[in-house]
PDB file of all heavy atoms in Angstrom:
ATOM      1  N   THR V   1     -10.841   8.152 -49.145  1.00 97.00           N
ATOM      2  CA  THR V   1     -10.602   9.402 -48.645  1.00 97.00           C
ATOM      3  C   THR V   1     -10.442   9.416 -47.028  1.00 97.00           C
ATOM      4  O   THR V   1     -10.712   8.401 -46.467  1.00 97.00           O
ATOM      5  CB  THR V   1     -11.718  10.455 -49.034  1.00 97.00           C
ATOM      6  OG1 THR V   1     -12.943  10.096 -48.291  1.00 97.00           O
ATOM      7  CG2 THR V   1     -11.972  10.373 -50.491  1.00 97.00           C
ATOM      8  N   SER V   2     -10.016  10.527 -46.532  1.00 95.00           N
ATOM      9  CA  SER V   2      -9.832  10.706 -45.080  1.00 95.00           C
ATOM     10  C   SER V   2     -11.273  10.539 -44.359  1.00 95.00           C
ATOM     11  O   SER V   2     -11.239  10.070 -43.183  1.00 95.00           O
ATOM     12  CB  SER V   2      -9.278  12.066 -44.703  1.00 95.00           C
ATOM     13  OG  SER V   2     -10.020  13.094 -45.180  1.00 95.00           O
ATOM     14  N   SER V   3     -12.353  10.835 -45.017  1.00 95.00           N
ATOM     15  CA  SER V   3     -13.641  10.645 -44.400  1.00 95.00           C
ATOM     16  C   SER V   3     -14.193   9.271 -44.637  1.00 95.00           C
ATOM     17  O   SER V   3     -15.355   8.938 -44.111  1.00 95.00           O
ATOM     18  CB  SER V   3     -14.622  11.681 -44.947  1.00 95.00           C
ATOM     19  OG  SER V   3     -14.805  11.545 -46.358  1.00 95.00           O
ATOM     20  N   GLY V   4     -13.531   8.442 -45.402  1.00 95.00           N
ATOM     21  CA  GLY V   4     -13.978   7.088 -45.549  1.00 95.00           C
ATOM     22  C   GLY V   4     -14.726   6.803 -46.897  1.00 95.00           C
ATOM     23  O   GLY V   4     -15.144   5.623 -47.136  1.00 95.00           O
ATOM     24  N   SER V   5     -14.790   7.751 -47.778  1.00 97.00           N
ATOM     25  CA  SER V   5     -15.459   7.518 -49.059  1.00 97.00           C
ATOM     26  C   SER V   5     -14.504   6.701 -49.908  1.00 97.00           C
ATOM     27  O   SER V   5     -13.291   6.914 -49.972  1.00 97.00           O
ATOM     28  CB  SER V   5     -15.738   8.807 -49.772  1.00 97.00           C
ATOM     29  OG  SER V   5     -16.748   9.563 -49.074  1.00 97.00           O
ATOM     30  N   THR V   6     -15.091   5.685 -50.642  1.00 97.00           N
ATOM     31  CA  THR V   6     -14.237   4.765 -51.422  1.00 97.00           C
ATOM     32  C   THR V   6     -14.685   4.799 -52.912  1.00 97.00           C
ATOM     33  O   THR V   6     -15.753   5.113 -53.212  1.00 97.00           O
ATOM     34  CB  THR V   6     -14.381   3.374 -50.873  1.00 97.00           C
ATOM     35  OG1 THR V   6     -15.735   2.966 -50.941  1.00 97.00           O
ATOM     36  CG2 THR V   6     -13.884   3.178 -49.412  1.00 97.00           C
ATOM     37  N   ASN V   7     -13.671   4.377 -53.673  1.00 96.00           N
ATOM     38  CA  ASN V   7     -14.004   4.090 -55.101  1.00 96.00           C
ATOM     39  C   ASN V   7     -13.227   2.960 -55.517  1.00 96.00           C
ATOM     40  O   ASN V   7     -12.062   2.663 -55.015  1.00 96.00           O
ATOM     41  CB  ASN V   7     -13.709   5.348 -55.973  1.00 96.00           C
ATOM     42  CG  ASN V   7     -12.258   5.639 -56.201  1.00 96.00           C
ATOM     43  OD1 ASN V   7     -11.658   5.956 -55.175  1.00 96.00           O
ATOM     44  ND2 ASN V   7     -11.737   5.537 -57.325  1.00 96.00           N
ATOM     45  N   TYR V   8     -13.701   2.204 -56.469  1.00 97.00           N
ATOM     46  CA  TYR V   8     -13.109   0.893 -56.870  1.00 97.00           C
ATOM     47  C   TYR V   8     -13.155   0.805 -58.395  1.00 97.00           C
ATOM     48  O   TYR V   8     -14.034   1.383 -59.046  1.00 97.00           O
ATOM     49  CB  TYR V   8     -13.836  -0.312 -56.366  1.00 97.00           C
ATOM     50  CG  TYR V   8     -13.824  -0.484 -54.823  1.00 97.00           C
ATOM     51  CD1 TYR V   8     -14.785   0.093 -54.023  1.00 97.00           C
ATOM     52  CD2 TYR V   8     -12.831  -1.237 -54.213  1.00 97.00           C
ATOM     53  CE1 TYR V   8     -14.694  -0.054 -52.634  1.00 97.00           C
ATOM     54  CE2 TYR V   8     -12.822  -1.429 -52.868  1.00 97.00           C
ATOM     55  CZ  TYR V   8     -13.704  -0.777 -52.084  1.00 97.00           C
ATOM     56  OH  TYR V   8     -13.686  -0.997 -50.693  1.00 97.00           O
ATOM     57  N   ALA V   9     -12.179   0.050 -58.888  1.00 96.00           N
ATOM     58  CA  ALA V   9     -12.389  -0.336 -60.272  1.00 96.00           C
ATOM     59  C   ALA V   9     -13.627  -1.238 -60.404  1.00 96.00           C
ATOM     60  O   ALA V   9     -13.856  -2.119 -59.503  1.00 96.00           O
ATOM     61  CB  ALA V   9     -11.078  -1.146 -60.732  1.00 96.00           C
ATOM     62  N   ASP V  10     -14.429  -0.953 -61.400  1.00 93.00           N
ATOM     63  CA  ASP V  10     -15.706  -1.698 -61.526  1.00 93.00           C
ATOM     64  C   ASP V  10     -15.545  -3.138 -61.455  1.00 93.00           C
ATOM     65  O   ASP V  10     -16.299  -3.898 -60.913  1.00 93.00           O
ATOM     66  CB  ASP V  10     -16.337  -1.245 -62.878  1.00 93.00           C
ATOM     67  CG  ASP V  10     -16.909   0.119 -62.779  1.00 93.00           C
ATOM     68  OD1 ASP V  10     -17.162   0.694 -61.688  1.00 93.00           O
ATOM     69  OD2 ASP V  10     -17.228   0.728 -63.853  1.00 93.00           O
ATOM     70  N   SER V  11     -14.458  -3.653 -62.157  1.00 90.00           N
ATOM     71  CA  SER V  11     -14.289  -5.125 -62.248  1.00 90.00           C
ATOM     72  C   SER V  11     -13.915  -5.721 -60.890  1.00 90.00           C
ATOM     73  O   SER V  11     -13.961  -6.983 -60.812  1.00 90.00           O
ATOM     74  CB  SER V  11     -13.179  -5.389 -63.260  1.00 90.00           C
ATOM     75  OG  SER V  11     -11.913  -4.832 -62.811  1.00 90.00           O
ATOM     76  N   LEU V  12     -13.542  -4.950 -59.882  1.00 92.00           N
ATOM     77  CA  LEU V  12     -13.079  -5.529 -58.665  1.00 92.00           C
ATOM     78  C   LEU V  12     -14.155  -5.327 -57.526  1.00 92.00           C
ATOM     79  O   LEU V  12     -13.911  -5.851 -56.425  1.00 92.00           O
ATOM     80  CB  LEU V  12     -11.743  -4.889 -58.265  1.00 92.00           C
ATOM     81  CG  LEU V  12     -10.657  -4.988 -59.251  1.00 92.00           C
ATOM     82  CD1 LEU V  12      -9.389  -4.245 -58.741  1.00 92.00           C
ATOM     83  CD2 LEU V  12     -10.306  -6.439 -59.416  1.00 92.00           C
ATOM     84  N   LYS V  13     -15.189  -4.638 -57.765  1.00 86.00           N
ATOM     85  CA  LYS V  13     -16.166  -4.356 -56.703  1.00 86.00           C
ATOM     86  C   LYS V  13     -16.681  -5.765 -56.269  1.00 86.00           C
ATOM     87  O   LYS V  13     -17.037  -6.617 -57.040  1.00 86.00           O
ATOM     88  CB  LYS V  13     -17.279  -3.555 -57.260  1.00 86.00           C
ATOM     89  CG  LYS V  13     -16.946  -2.073 -57.462  1.00 86.00           C
ATOM     90  CD  LYS V  13     -18.127  -1.307 -57.988  1.00 86.00           C
ATOM     91  CE  LYS V  13     -17.742   0.157 -58.264  1.00 86.00           C
ATOM     92  NZ  LYS V  13     -18.795   0.961 -58.883  1.00 86.00           N
ATOM     93  N   GLY V  14     -16.813  -5.812 -54.889  1.00 90.00           N
ATOM     94  CA  GLY V  14     -17.397  -7.157 -54.392  1.00 90.00           C
ATOM     95  C   GLY V  14     -16.336  -8.081 -53.982  1.00 90.00           C
ATOM     96  O   GLY V  14     -16.581  -8.983 -53.163  1.00 90.00           O
ATOM     97  N   ARG V  15     -15.070  -7.980 -54.573  1.00 97.00           N
ATOM     98  CA  ARG V  15     -14.084  -8.917 -54.158  1.00 97.00           C
ATOM     99  C   ARG V  15     -12.969  -8.224 -53.316  1.00 97.00           C
ATOM    100  O   ARG V  15     -12.297  -8.867 -52.484  1.00 97.00           O
ATOM    101  CB  ARG V  15     -13.402  -9.494 -55.399  1.00 97.00           C
ATOM    102  CG  ARG V  15     -14.357 -10.423 -56.238  1.00 97.00           C
ATOM    103  CD  ARG V  15     -13.488 -11.293 -57.205  1.00 97.00           C
ATOM    104  NE  ARG V  15     -12.786 -10.515 -58.164  1.00 97.00           N
ATOM    105  CZ  ARG V  15     -11.463 -10.530 -58.410  1.00 97.00           C
ATOM    106  NH1 ARG V  15     -10.727 -11.310 -57.572  1.00 97.00           N
ATOM    107  NH2 ARG V  15     -10.930  -9.788 -59.285  1.00 97.00           N
ATOM    108  N   PHE V  16     -12.648  -6.972 -53.654  1.00 98.00           N
ATOM    109  CA  PHE V  16     -11.635  -6.158 -52.977  1.00 98.00           C
ATOM    110  C   PHE V  16     -12.273  -5.168 -52.034  1.00 98.00           C
ATOM    111  O   PHE V  16     -13.312  -4.596 -52.386  1.00 98.00           O
ATOM    112  CB  PHE V  16     -10.759  -5.449 -53.964  1.00 98.00           C
ATOM    113  CG  PHE V  16      -9.842  -6.441 -54.670  1.00 98.00           C
ATOM    114  CD1 PHE V  16     -10.022  -7.793 -54.814  1.00 98.00           C
ATOM    115  CD2 PHE V  16      -8.755  -5.865 -55.406  1.00 98.00           C
ATOM    116  CE1 PHE V  16      -9.190  -8.582 -55.502  1.00 98.00           C
ATOM    117  CE2 PHE V  16      -7.902  -6.754 -56.107  1.00 98.00           C
ATOM    118  CZ  PHE V  16      -8.084  -8.108 -56.206  1.00 98.00           C
ATOM    119  N   THR V  17     -11.675  -4.946 -50.920  1.00 98.00           N
ATOM    120  CA  THR V  17     -12.137  -3.903 -49.929  1.00 98.00           C
ATOM    121  C   THR V  17     -10.935  -3.039 -49.542  1.00 98.00           C
ATOM    122  O   THR V  17     -10.028  -3.624 -48.943  1.00 98.00           O
ATOM    123  CB  THR V  17     -12.829  -4.565 -48.764  1.00 98.00           C
ATOM    124  OG1 THR V  17     -13.934  -5.375 -49.176  1.00 98.00           O
ATOM    125  CG2 THR V  17     -13.340  -3.462 -47.820  1.00 98.00           C
ATOM    126  N   VAL V  18     -11.051  -1.770 -49.659  1.00 98.00           N
ATOM    127  CA  VAL V  18     -10.024  -0.887 -49.230  1.00 98.00           C
ATOM    128  C   VAL V  18     -10.518  -0.275 -47.853  1.00 98.00           C
ATOM    129  O   VAL V  18     -11.655   0.046 -47.660  1.00 98.00           O
ATOM    130  CB  VAL V  18      -9.774   0.212 -50.267  1.00 98.00           C
ATOM    131  CG1 VAL V  18     -10.886   1.106 -50.405  1.00 98.00           C
ATOM    132  CG2 VAL V  18      -8.525   1.052 -49.865  1.00 98.00           C
ATOM    133  N   SER V  19      -9.551  -0.092 -46.934  1.00 98.00           N
ATOM    134  CA  SER V  19      -9.833   0.530 -45.668  1.00 98.00           C
ATOM    135  C   SER V  19      -8.610   1.288 -45.213  1.00 98.00           C
ATOM    136  O   SER V  19      -7.548   1.075 -45.766  1.00 98.00           O
ATOM    137  CB  SER V  19     -10.331  -0.419 -44.627  1.00 98.00           C
ATOM    138  OG  SER V  19      -9.263  -1.460 -44.376  1.00 98.00           O
ATOM    139  N   ARG V  20      -8.758   2.071 -44.206  1.00 97.00           N
ATOM    140  CA  ARG V  20      -7.591   2.818 -43.695  1.00 97.00           C
ATOM    141  C   ARG V  20      -7.684   3.045 -42.209  1.00 97.00           C
ATOM    142  O   ARG V  20      -8.783   3.156 -41.623  1.00 97.00           O
ATOM    143  CB  ARG V  20      -7.444   4.156 -44.413  1.00 97.00           C
ATOM    144  CG  ARG V  20      -8.503   5.115 -44.295  1.00 97.00           C
ATOM    145  CD  ARG V  20      -8.335   6.353 -45.182  1.00 97.00           C
ATOM    146  NE  ARG V  20      -7.425   7.334 -44.659  1.00 97.00           N
ATOM    147  CZ  ARG V  20      -7.123   8.415 -45.343  1.00 97.00           C
ATOM    148  NH1 ARG V  20      -7.526   8.694 -46.568  1.00 97.00           N
ATOM    149  NH2 ARG V  20      -6.265   9.329 -44.800  1.00 97.00           N
ATOM    150  N   ASP V  21      -6.624   3.230 -41.564  1.00 96.00           N
ATOM    151  CA  ASP V  21      -6.545   3.605 -40.196  1.00 96.00           C
ATOM    152  C   ASP V  21      -5.776   4.929 -40.139  1.00 96.00           C
ATOM    153  O   ASP V  21      -4.548   4.984 -40.274  1.00 96.00           O
ATOM    154  CB  ASP V  21      -5.728   2.636 -39.438  1.00 96.00           C
ATOM    155  CG  ASP V  21      -5.703   2.770 -37.901  1.00 96.00           C
ATOM    156  OD1 ASP V  21      -5.716   3.974 -37.516  1.00 96.00           O
ATOM    157  OD2 ASP V  21      -5.559   1.847 -37.183  1.00 96.00           O
ATOM    158  N   ASN V  22      -6.589   6.016 -39.876  1.00 94.00           N
ATOM    159  CA  ASN V  22      -6.052   7.320 -39.939  1.00 94.00           C
ATOM    160  C   ASN V  22      -5.000   7.578 -38.786  1.00 94.00           C
ATOM    161  O   ASN V  22      -4.017   8.228 -39.026  1.00 94.00           O
ATOM    162  CB  ASN V  22      -7.036   8.433 -39.877  1.00 94.00           C
ATOM    163  CG  ASN V  22      -7.935   8.396 -41.053  1.00 94.00           C
ATOM    164  OD1 ASN V  22      -7.454   8.213 -42.222  1.00 94.00           O
ATOM    165  ND2 ASN V  22      -9.197   8.782 -40.966  1.00 94.00           N
ATOM    166  N   ALA V  23      -5.130   6.944 -37.659  1.00 94.00           N
ATOM    167  CA  ALA V  23      -4.282   7.068 -36.606  1.00 94.00           C
ATOM    168  C   ALA V  23      -2.894   6.513 -36.868  1.00 94.00           C
ATOM    169  O   ALA V  23      -1.943   6.980 -36.361  1.00 94.00           O
ATOM    170  CB  ALA V  23      -4.871   6.492 -35.325  1.00 94.00           C
ATOM    171  N   LYS V  24      -2.872   5.489 -37.740  1.00 96.00           N
ATOM    172  CA  LYS V  24      -1.721   4.790 -38.094  1.00 96.00           C
ATOM    173  C   LYS V  24      -1.152   5.191 -39.463  1.00 96.00           C
ATOM    174  O   LYS V  24      -0.131   4.713 -39.921  1.00 96.00           O
ATOM    175  CB  LYS V  24      -1.852   3.284 -38.052  1.00 96.00           C
ATOM    176  CG  LYS V  24      -2.154   2.746 -36.646  1.00 96.00           C
ATOM    177  CD  LYS V  24      -2.304   1.239 -36.635  1.00 96.00           C
ATOM    178  CE  LYS V  24      -2.610   0.661 -35.266  1.00 96.00           C
ATOM    179  NZ  LYS V  24      -2.774  -0.806 -35.395  1.00 96.00           N
ATOM    180  N   ASN V  25      -1.904   6.076 -40.175  1.00 96.00           N
ATOM    181  CA  ASN V  25      -1.516   6.446 -41.522  1.00 96.00           C
ATOM    182  C   ASN V  25      -1.259   5.220 -42.430  1.00 96.00           C
ATOM    183  O   ASN V  25      -0.278   5.102 -43.140  1.00 96.00           O
ATOM    184  CB  ASN V  25      -0.301   7.346 -41.564  1.00 96.00           C
ATOM    185  CG  ASN V  25      -0.628   8.699 -40.916  1.00 96.00           C
ATOM    186  OD1 ASN V  25      -1.643   9.305 -41.224  1.00 96.00           O
ATOM    187  ND2 ASN V  25       0.366   9.206 -40.177  1.00 96.00           N
ATOM    188  N   THR V  26      -2.203   4.260 -42.332  1.00 97.00           N
ATOM    189  CA  THR V  26      -2.033   2.943 -42.959  1.00 97.00           C
ATOM    190  C   THR V  26      -3.322   2.699 -43.750  1.00 97.00           C
ATOM    191  O   THR V  26      -4.430   2.942 -43.329  1.00 97.00           O
ATOM    192  CB  THR V  26      -1.775   1.871 -41.924  1.00 97.00           C
ATOM    193  OG1 THR V  26      -0.550   2.128 -41.216  1.00 97.00           O
ATOM    194  CG2 THR V  26      -1.667   0.503 -42.621  1.00 97.00           C
ATOM    195  N   VAL V  27      -3.093   2.213 -44.956  1.00 98.00           N
ATOM    196  CA  VAL V  27      -4.165   1.757 -45.875  1.00 98.00           C
ATOM    197  C   VAL V  27      -4.023   0.299 -46.098  1.00 98.00           C
ATOM    198  O   VAL V  27      -2.978  -0.286 -46.096  1.00 98.00           O
ATOM    199  CB  VAL V  27      -4.158   2.581 -47.160  1.00 98.00           C
ATOM    200  CG1 VAL V  27      -2.926   2.269 -47.956  1.00 98.00           C
ATOM    201  CG2 VAL V  27      -5.415   2.242 -48.026  1.00 98.00           C
ATOM    202  N   TYR V  28      -5.169  -0.399 -46.134  1.00 98.00           N
ATOM    203  CA  TYR V  28      -5.296  -1.843 -46.371  1.00 98.00           C
ATOM    204  C   TYR V  28      -6.048  -2.137 -47.665  1.00 98.00           C
ATOM    205  O   TYR V  28      -6.882  -1.391 -48.096  1.00 98.00           O
ATOM    206  CB  TYR V  28      -5.921  -2.488 -45.136  1.00 98.00           C
ATOM    207  CG  TYR V  28      -5.354  -2.143 -43.842  1.00 98.00           C
ATOM    208  CD1 TYR V  28      -5.859  -1.106 -43.047  1.00 98.00           C
ATOM    209  CD2 TYR V  28      -4.194  -2.788 -43.373  1.00 98.00           C
ATOM    210  CE1 TYR V  28      -5.334  -0.690 -41.845  1.00 98.00           C
ATOM    211  CE2 TYR V  28      -3.623  -2.449 -42.132  1.00 98.00           C
ATOM    212  CZ  TYR V  28      -4.186  -1.419 -41.362  1.00 98.00           C
ATOM    213  OH  TYR V  28      -3.707  -1.109 -40.177  1.00 98.00           O
ATOM    214  N   LEU V  29      -5.690  -3.320 -48.204  1.00 98.00           N
ATOM    215  CA  LEU V  29      -6.469  -3.846 -49.269  1.00 98.00           C
ATOM    216  C   LEU V  29      -6.820  -5.302 -49.015  1.00 98.00           C
ATOM    217  O   LEU V  29      -5.785  -6.086 -49.010  1.00 98.00           O
ATOM    218  CB  LEU V  29      -5.734  -3.667 -50.620  1.00 98.00           C
ATOM    219  CG  LEU V  29      -6.483  -4.081 -51.839  1.00 98.00           C
ATOM    220  CD1 LEU V  29      -7.766  -3.206 -52.025  1.00 98.00           C
ATOM    221  CD2 LEU V  29      -5.620  -4.086 -53.063  1.00 98.00           C
ATOM    222  N   GLN V  30      -8.047  -5.640 -48.654  1.00 98.00           N
ATOM    223  CA  GLN V  30      -8.414  -6.973 -48.554  1.00 98.00           C
ATOM    224  C   GLN V  30      -8.840  -7.544 -49.859  1.00 98.00           C
ATOM    225  O   GLN V  30      -9.741  -6.975 -50.456  1.00 98.00           O
ATOM    226  CB  GLN V  30      -9.528  -7.099 -47.505  1.00 98.00           C
ATOM    227  CG  GLN V  30     -10.037  -8.546 -47.278  1.00 98.00           C
ATOM    228  CD  GLN V  30      -9.054  -9.441 -46.631  1.00 98.00           C
ATOM    229  OE1 GLN V  30      -8.364  -9.021 -45.630  1.00 98.00           O
ATOM    230  NE2 GLN V  30      -8.872 -10.679 -47.104  1.00 98.00           N
ATOM    231  N   MET V  31      -8.239  -8.600 -50.401  1.00 98.00           N
ATOM    232  CA  MET V  31      -8.508  -9.239 -51.642  1.00 98.00           C
ATOM    233  C   MET V  31      -9.032 -10.603 -51.439  1.00 98.00           C
ATOM    234  O   MET V  31      -8.312 -11.445 -50.898  1.00 98.00           O
ATOM    235  CB  MET V  31      -7.185  -9.240 -52.470  1.00 98.00           C
ATOM    236  CG  MET V  31      -6.623  -7.832 -52.642  1.00 98.00           C
ATOM    237  SD  MET V  31      -5.219  -7.848 -53.715  1.00 98.00           S
ATOM    238  CE  MET V  31      -3.996  -8.839 -52.800  1.00 98.00           C
ATOM    239  N   ASN V  32     -10.219 -10.854 -51.868  1.00 98.00           N
ATOM    240  CA  ASN V  32     -10.870 -12.152 -51.652  1.00 98.00           C
ATOM    241  C   ASN V  32     -11.141 -12.730 -53.053  1.00 98.00           C
ATOM    242  O   ASN V  32     -11.191 -12.017 -54.043  1.00 98.00           O
ATOM    243  CB  ASN V  32     -12.139 -12.008 -50.836  1.00 98.00           C
ATOM    244  CG  ASN V  32     -11.895 -11.530 -49.474  1.00 98.00           C
ATOM    245  OD1 ASN V  32     -10.866 -11.811 -48.867  1.00 98.00           O
ATOM    246  ND2 ASN V  32     -12.890 -10.743 -48.985  1.00 98.00           N
ATOM    247  N   SER V  33     -11.403 -14.064 -53.078  1.00 97.00           N
ATOM    248  CA  SER V  33     -11.727 -14.712 -54.309  1.00 97.00           C
ATOM    249  C   SER V  33     -10.799 -14.341 -55.429  1.00 97.00           C
ATOM    250  O   SER V  33     -11.208 -14.063 -56.510  1.00 97.00           O
ATOM    251  CB  SER V  33     -13.215 -14.468 -54.716  1.00 97.00           C
ATOM    252  OG  SER V  33     -14.089 -14.774 -53.671  1.00 97.00           O
ATOM    253  N   LEU V  34      -9.535 -14.444 -55.094  1.00 98.00           N
ATOM    254  CA  LEU V  34      -8.564 -14.047 -56.075  1.00 98.00           C
ATOM    255  C   LEU V  34      -8.529 -14.849 -57.306  1.00 98.00           C
ATOM    256  O   LEU V  34      -8.723 -16.074 -57.265  1.00 98.00           O
ATOM    257  CB  LEU V  34      -7.092 -14.018 -55.392  1.00 98.00           C
ATOM    258  CG  LEU V  34      -6.934 -12.836 -54.476  1.00 98.00           C
ATOM    259  CD1 LEU V  34      -5.707 -13.086 -53.555  1.00 98.00           C
ATOM    260  CD2 LEU V  34      -6.554 -11.627 -55.267  1.00 98.00           C
ATOM    261  N   LYS V  35      -8.202 -14.222 -58.435  1.00 97.00           N
ATOM    262  CA  LYS V  35      -8.189 -14.886 -59.795  1.00 97.00           C
ATOM    263  C   LYS V  35      -6.812 -14.752 -60.357  1.00 97.00           C
ATOM    264  O   LYS V  35      -6.026 -13.919 -59.883  1.00 97.00           O
ATOM    265  CB  LYS V  35      -9.190 -14.233 -60.614  1.00 97.00           C
ATOM    266  CG  LYS V  35     -10.598 -14.157 -60.194  1.00 97.00           C
ATOM    267  CD  LYS V  35     -11.485 -13.412 -61.187  1.00 97.00           C
ATOM    268  CE  LYS V  35     -12.943 -13.390 -60.658  1.00 97.00           C
ATOM    269  NZ  LYS V  35     -13.867 -12.637 -61.545  1.00 97.00           N
ATOM    270  N   VAL V  36      -6.480 -15.637 -61.256  1.00 97.00           N
ATOM    271  CA  VAL V  36      -5.162 -15.639 -61.869  1.00 97.00           C
ATOM    272  C   VAL V  36      -4.899 -14.247 -62.466  1.00 97.00           C
ATOM    273  O   VAL V  36      -3.715 -13.753 -62.414  1.00 97.00           O
ATOM    274  CB  VAL V  36      -5.066 -16.699 -62.865  1.00 97.00           C
ATOM    275  CG1 VAL V  36      -3.755 -16.584 -63.692  1.00 97.00           C
ATOM    276  CG2 VAL V  36      -5.104 -18.058 -62.264  1.00 97.00           C
TER     277      VAL V  36
END
């Protein structure tokens, strides 16, 4: 959300991180320990 509250698919918690830059209207998804 615009205030920074996040929600994730349960299966992805701990590996994926969502963030945003409100000034740039940009959202990011950092994906670690990727699986097939």
Side-chain angles (χ1 to χ4, degrees):
T1 69
S2 57
S3 61
S5 296
T6 58
N7 70 296
Y8 294 90
D10 287 342
S11 62
L12 301 178
K13 289 179 180 178
R15 293 196 298 123
F16 288 16
T17 302
V18 65
S19 61
R20 62 188 280 175
D21 184 331
N22 290 330
K24 296 181 179 179
N25 291 319
T26 299
V27 62
Y28 305 96
L29 184 68
Q30 178 67 43
M31 304 185 292
N32 298 328
S33 302
L34 282 161
K35 304 177 181 180
V36 172

